[in-house]
Amino acid sequence: MQRIMLRAKIHRATVTQADLHYEGSCGIDEDLLEAADIREFEKIELYNVNNGKRFSTYAIRGKRGSGEISLNGAAARCAHLGDLLIICTYASLSAAEVETHVPKVVFVDDNNRITGLKKM
């Protein structure tokens, strides 16, 4: 049996840009991608703290050190600039893997700068 488990989370990131006419995706500061071990083009789930919307897209690399969290294409309709997002990835794990699995959590400030890392 496989279980779908939280793999990584960027907690309460602030939306900095939205571009409805871009082809899609979520641009994420490369520092945040690395800290959370999220790969470019990996599927991500996003939870908008401000309005309760939940949606998915894929991650693309944003400029390192920029604090960028940009919603593009249809995702741009799911949040406003300044909204807080929880950005998650999940993995399918075997029962044995679940026993030792520890998700990565990246905490950020109002400018999307890393304030802490935690393994849950």
Side-chain angles (χ1 to χ4, degrees):
M1 175 177 66
Q2 297 283 305
R3 292 183 185 262
I4 298 173
M5 306 294 290
L6 177 67
R7 195 184 63 70
K9 171 170 82 165
I10 301 171
H11 191 69
R12 297 175 68 92
T14 302
V15 176
T16 61
Q17 300 171 44
D19 184 353
L20 183 61
H21 301 290
Y22 188 84
E23 74 179 45
S25 71
C26 177
I28 301 172
D29 180 324
E30 196 167 0
D31 288 337
L32 298 176
L33 289 177
E34 286 179 4
D37 189 27
I38 297 173
R39 301 293 175 106
E40 188 168 36
F41 308 116
E42 183 173 354
K43 180 180 179 179
I44 54 176
E45 297 288 332
L46 300 101
Y47 311 118
N48 187 322
V49 174
N50 294 76
N51 66 23
K53 285 188 182 179
R54 295 169 164 255
F55 55 102
S56 61
T57 187
Y58 58 94
I60 61 171
R61 201 174 4 249
K63 183 179 176 188
R64 184 178 298 281
S66 66
E68 175 185 342
I69 299 292
S70 62
L71 297 177
N72 303 307
R77 296 241 187 239
C78 296
H80 294 287
L81 296 181
D83 280 2
L84 297 176
L85 300 177
I86 299 169
I87 303 170
C88 298
T89 62
Y90 296 87
S92 182
L93 303 176
S94 69
E97 291 170 318
V98 166
E99 294 303 317
T100 59
H101 174 68
V102 180
K104 292 183 179 184
V105 181
V106 178
F107 295 96
V108 297
D109 64 15
D110 293 342
N111 296 309
N112 296 328
R113 304 285 187 250
I114 298 170
T115 59
L117 302 170
K118 180 179 179 183
K119 290 193 174 189
M120 296 178 79

